[in-house]
Amino acid sequence: MVVVRRAEPHDAEAAVAVVRRSISELCCDDHRGDADTIARWLSNKTVQNFTSWMANDDNFFVIAENRGHLSGVGLLHRSGEINLFYMAPNAQRQGLGKAIHVALEQKAQEWGLREMKLDSTLLACPFYEKLGYHPAGAKRPRFGVLCSYPYKKRLHES
């Protein structure tokens, strides 16, 4: 059973592990095994930073659990920017990502946001497009060999 809930400080270590594994193992087409790119991408993925991000009232930080295991992470900033959206390597195509996005989108609507935006990896572009996101500009170099693809999604006004 999938449960999406607000992240708590005791989740930080497991959340960091999920994100680090996702980047290292699932994003190979994006970082192409380049050690410098991987190191730079992972550099701020620490327990201390995650705990700080959870405590920030301008962030909505959620985790997805499947059968009691933390398997996904999502972080929405009050500006409408999704700053983290990662799944554990064994958790793809099980509805966890969609469930995380539902929680983030509900919070965006609670905050009265008109759109959500994010920078996608090449591999994740089709996932975001299925969720209703549209390209919002040309790909941009990030660090090392990594490029990001800007996307945005217009939210329905209530």
Side-chain angles (χ1 to χ4, degrees), residues 2-3 5 8 11 16 42 51 60 63 65-66 73 78 81 98 102 106 109 111 118 128 130 138-139 153 155:
V2 175
V3 174
R5 63 173 175 78
E8 299 174 3
D11 297 315
V16 168
L42 295 176
T51 303
F60 181 63
I63 56 112
E65 295 175 315
N66 190 11
V73 172
R78 192 176 295 273
E81 183 84 26
K98 195 176 216 179
V102 165
Q106 286 175 344
Q109 290 175 335
W111 281 340
L118 57 88
Y128 293 119
K130 285 180 186 173
K139 74 177 180 179
K153 178 179 182 176
L155 299 176

Side-chain angles (χ1 to χ4, degrees), residues 32-108:
R32 295 181 262 167
D34 181 71
D36 181 57
T37 299
I38 296 168
R40 290 170 67 189
W41 197 351
L42 295 176
S43 67
N44 69 342
K45 310 309 187 278
T46 66
V47 171
Q48 182 178 5
N49 282 342
F50 275 47
T51 303
S52 172
W53 297 337
M54 288 175 198
N56 183 337
D57 289 338
D58 287 331
N59 290 333
F60 181 63
F61 198 136
V62 297
I63 56 112
E65 295 175 315
N66 190 11
R67 298 182 183 142
H69 296 286
L70 196 151
S71 300
V73 172
L75 188 153
L76 174 69
H77 185 266
R78 192 176 295 273
S79 66
E81 183 84 26
I82 295 177
N83 291 320
L84 293 174
F85 202 127
Y86 293 94
M87 304 305 300
N90 59 347
Q92 293 181 299
R93 293 172 177 68
Q94 296 176 26
L96 294 162
K98 195 176 216 179
I100 288 171
H101 188 266
V102 165
L104 298 179
E105 188 169 330
Q106 286 175 344
K107 179 53 89 173

Side-chain angles (χ1 to χ4, degrees), residues 6-45:
R6 189 142 197 180
E8 299 174 3
H10 71 267
D11 297 315
E13 190 172 335
V16 168
V18 163
V19 172
R20 293 177 74 84
R21 282 192 65 215
S22 181
I23 290 169
S24 298
E25 298 175 33
L26 296 178
C27 299
C28 295
D29 287 346
D30 297 294
H31 59 64
R32 295 181 262 167
D34 181 71
D36 181 57
T37 299
I38 296 168
R40 290 170 67 189
W41 197 351
L42 295 176
S43 67
N44 69 342
K45 310 309 187 278

